[in-house]
Amino acid sequence: MKFSAIALTLATADAFAPSSFIRSNRCKSCLHSTNIMEETAAVERTAPDAGYVPKWEGRQGLAPEEFLSSDLDAPDMSEMWESPLTLWNAKNIDIRSAQEEAKRAIMKTPDIPFLPATQKKEFPMEVRASAKENAMGVQYFVQNKDKIRKDLLNNGGIWFRGFDLMKSIKGYREFWDALGFQPCLDPLHSSGLRKFASERDALYEEVNKPSLRGHYIGLHNESTAKRTPAYAAFVCFQRATEEKEPRGRFIVADGAAILADIDPAVLRRLYERQIRISVSNLDIPPSFPEPVKEGLKWLVDKAVAPKFDMDLEMIYESDGKPGRLQAVECAESPINRHPVTGLPIWFNNSHNHARKLRDRRPCGVPEVGMTEVFYADTMEPLSLEDCLEVKRVSEKNIAALAMEPGDVILLDNYRASHGRDVFGGDRYHAVTWFTWDQNPQWRGDERRILEKNALNQAINQMMDWLPKDFESKQS
């Protein structure tokens, strides 16, 4: 979640060939605009919907000291690849044609040839372990590597259920290694705020913090306008111990399905106007003299923002609140073409970041971390009408997964978006991000630099003060 990283730091400051893709560049000019904040009455917070809600199965996992155990004989992955640059191919998209193409991609092939497709594919695709497949251990994935990789490209997400292999860090790493993936950094790793579950295994903690149990994380691609991992594998080591629903269900959705289903008028408006996302707020007393405010803006822009490896502009009062300094990403398209298949997809984080949606669902983020989505041409926040359409189409296509210990959801990070529902008790999920293993040009040559400067170290120490449920001896 990009907002948490920016927020905490500002608070402390008080084999595929590319086809016409554009790598992210620093924006050259950004629009400044001030709007009057809308005065709205308090609205009721309600739990978001989901189109698919499978039942829990009650499978048992390992104790923390077992699932957090790493194979110390395996190579140390600490110097993993940098998160690759975002591949944009969003120009000259015809809305009607894009929606028709997306709809064809999400439909099942009819059993009888030449008949029209009438049913959607399941998303995510589910692969459930049989007793025989479980007994094979990692060899199941070695033998089925090519099919799994092809299915991931065609479907966008695969939910592996009931495999004992992935109940521990050691087995989970064997799983993705057998599939030929190459781990990379989180897009915001440079901030120092992404904490590892096991650094030598390239495994990050997911959002398990007790302080964020009551916060609903909306759909988002793990992406900034600048950097986007190619794939992700989310693993459950321990489901939430409190059995009351929604129990921290992991939510996913197919970006092709959202694009196919969204109101064409709303889609056209967002595409033509583009969007900008503010990722954090720093409220400065409006009475401060202008030179002081500009000095603070300069300090944040030069000393803090670069730590996040994002294309950010510091803008005062873009949401209309006097004295508020916001870190705002450059304009981006809500639609992108998939780098490999060329399929048009819904590729943006508005369901997670739109303030009007956050204010209407469970939210545990302080004001410094509240985000907003703007029309890029005027810097006005998205209208309630457009936000509600984003909510409707997103939640129609959400699969709220009941992930049990050992379950892994493997995602194409361009096509599929993800999030998490609220939970009680303790919960331990983790994730590894992957770069382009079959296209070195897209992957790039950057590797992680292990040395950290004083600011990174200080931020990491602050993260250690935050409550956490488990501690890994490998990180």
Side-chain angles (χ1 to χ4, degrees):
M1 294 187 303
K2 69 178 73 170
F3 73 86
S4 59
I6 303 286
L8 183 55
T9 305
L10 290 184
T12 63
D14 216 60
F16 300 104
S19 56
S20 68
F21 286 95
I22 302 172
R23 289 175 180 268
S24 172
N25 292 306
R26 179 78 177 174
C27 57
K28 302 231 177 359
S29 63
C30 297
L31 178 67
H32 292 260
S33 178
T34 301
N35 298 295
I36 299 175
M37 179 177 286
E38 297 178 6
E39 296 294 333
T40 57
V43 294
E44 181 182 1
R45 294 185 185 270
T46 57
D49 293 325
Y52 172 46
V53 186
K55 294 182 179 180
W56 297 95
E57 297 181 347
R59 282 181 266 118
Q60 297 301 306
L62 305 176
E65 59 270 20
E66 295 178 277
F67 70 67
L68 286 172
S69 179
S70 176
D71 181 1
L72 299 181
D73 292 328
D76 189 333
M77 302 300 295
S78 297
E79 294 187 40
M80 67 197 82
W81 294 106
E82 176 62 89
S83 179
L85 296 177
T86 304
L87 297 172
W88 287 103
N89 186 7
K91 292 184 177 180
N92 303 317
I93 293 177
D94 179 79
I95 297 300
R96 181 176 179 180
S97 297
Q99 291 194 283
E100 290 175 351
E101 186 176 352
K103 185 173 183 179
R104 289 193 297 272
I106 65 174
M107 302 303 286
K108 286 183 178 179
T109 301
D111 295 331
I112 303 176
F114 308 114
L115 288 182
T118 58
Q119 290 185 315
K120 280 186 177 181
K121 297 176 183 176
E122 291 182 352
F123 182 87
M125 178 181 179
E126 293 188 22
V127 176
R128 185 182 291 274
S130 66
K132 178 181 178 181
E133 290 164 345
N134 239 335
M136 293 175 65
V138 71
Q139 284 304 309
Y140 170 83
F141 297 101
V142 172
Q143 294 178 19
N144 290 278
K145 171 186 172 181
D146 291 343
K147 182 181 185 303
I148 290 171
R149 295 292 297 255
K150 182 178 179 180
D151 287 341
L152 178 63
L153 185 64
N154 290 336
N155 294 278
I158 306 174
W159 183 14
F160 295 96
R161 307 184 70 180
F163 285 87
D164 293 335
L165 176 69
M166 291 90 83
K167 287 185 176 181
S168 68
I169 288 178
K170 176 180 179 295
Y172 165 77
R173 175 170 170 174
E174 291 176 356
F175 152 80
W176 59 253
D177 191 43
L179 296 177
F181 288 112
Q182 296 182 13
C184 70
L185 296 173
D186 183 286
L188 290 178
H189 181 89
S190 63
S191 68
L193 281 166
R194 290 306 202 227
K195 190 166 180 61
F196 285 110
S198 179
E199 183 171 350
R200 68 180 323 277
D201 295 297
L203 183 65
Y204 286 91
E205 286 189 24
E206 211 209 294
V207 185
N208 305 305
K209 300 293 183 187
S211 59
L212 290 174
R213 287 169 178 159
H215 176 68
Y216 178 95
I217 302 171
L219 289 177
H220 61 288
N221 305 85
E222 199 68 21
S223 171
T224 70
K226 185 174 182 180
R227 293 193 182 273
T228 304
Y231 312 103
F234 294 85
V235 59
C236 171
F237 294 129
Q238 178 178 305
R239 61 182 176 272
T241 53
E242 186 177 298
E243 296 187 3
K244 181 180 179 181
E245 286 282 13
R247 208 175 180 185
R249 287 177 177 270
F250 190 77
I251 65 171
V252 293
D254 183 353
I258 293 176
L259 187 70
D261 291 343
I262 193 170
D263 184 326
V266 174
L267 181 61
R268 183 178 302 280
R269 180 159 52 248
L270 295 176
Y271 178 68
E272 291 179 349
R273 301 183 67 176
Q274 298 197 304
I275 62 173
R276 296 185 69 179
I277 298 175
S278 70
V279 295
S280 189
N281 308 313
L282 182 61
D283 288 334
I284 297 169
S287 59
F288 272 22
E290 200 63 29
V292 174
K293 291 167 66 176
E294 288 302 310
L296 288 170
K297 175 181 174 180
W298 179 91
L299 178 64
V300 172
D301 186 47
K302 301 301 181 184
V304 179
K307 302 306 301 176
F308 298 93
D309 198 14
M310 296 169 66
D311 292 340
L312 295 174
E313 181 185 14
M314 302 301 146
I315 304 178
Y316 273 111
E317 303 174 0
S318 56
D319 67 354
K321 181 174 175 57
R324 172 162 290 177
L325 179 62
Q326 292 182 292
V328 185
E329 287 196 273
C330 289
E332 56 192 81
S333 170
I335 313 172
N336 198 5
R337 293 184 180 92
H338 190 278
V340 177
T341 66
L343 178 69
I345 44 176
W346 178 256
F347 183 72
N348 69 86
N349 298 337
S350 55
H351 183 256
N352 186 37
H353 288 310
R355 180 71 186 248
K356 292 181 179 67
L357 298 184
R358 284 194 165 192
D359 285 345
R360 287 166 168 78
R361 66 191 183 212
C363 181
V365 175
E367 190 62 33
V368 67
M370 290 300 286
T371 55
E372 183 58 286
V373 184
F374 301 91
Y375 301 108
D377 56 353
T378 61
M379 283 303 294
E380 295 173 315
L382 296 195
S383 68
L384 180 59
E385 174 189 7
D386 287 357
C387 285
L388 292 179
E389 175 58 11
V390 170
K391 170 183 166 64
R392 181 199 68 80
V393 70
S394 298
E395 293 167 21
K396 171 187 175 182
N397 287 288
I398 283 177
L401 307 183
M403 290 184 68
E404 310 271 0
D407 283 4
V408 170
I409 176 72
L410 182 62
L411 294 180
D412 179 322
N413 190 45
Y414 275 81
R415 177 160 172 176
S417 53
H418 65 276
R420 191 220 66 203
D421 213 327
V422 301
F423 68 97
D426 294 332
R427 173 187 185 270
Y428 204 99
H429 287 220
V431 60
T432 297
W433 307 106
F434 305 108
T435 188
W436 298 103
D437 57 282
Q438 296 172 317
N439 194 309
Q441 181 182 352
W442 291 351
R443 183 196 64 206
D445 298 322
E446 296 177 273
R447 288 270 190 181
R448 179 189 180 199
I449 300 174
L450 291 177
E451 294 79 10
K452 298 178 181 178
N453 64 25
L455 180 58
N456 287 104
Q457 294 171 349
I459 295 171
N460 274 322
Q461 289 176 357
M462 287 189 297
M463 289 296 288
D464 288 337
W465 296 340
L466 296 177
K468 48 188 173 290
D469 301 316
F470 303 97
E471 186 71 52
S472 170
K473 295 180 181 179
Q474 281 77 46
S475 59

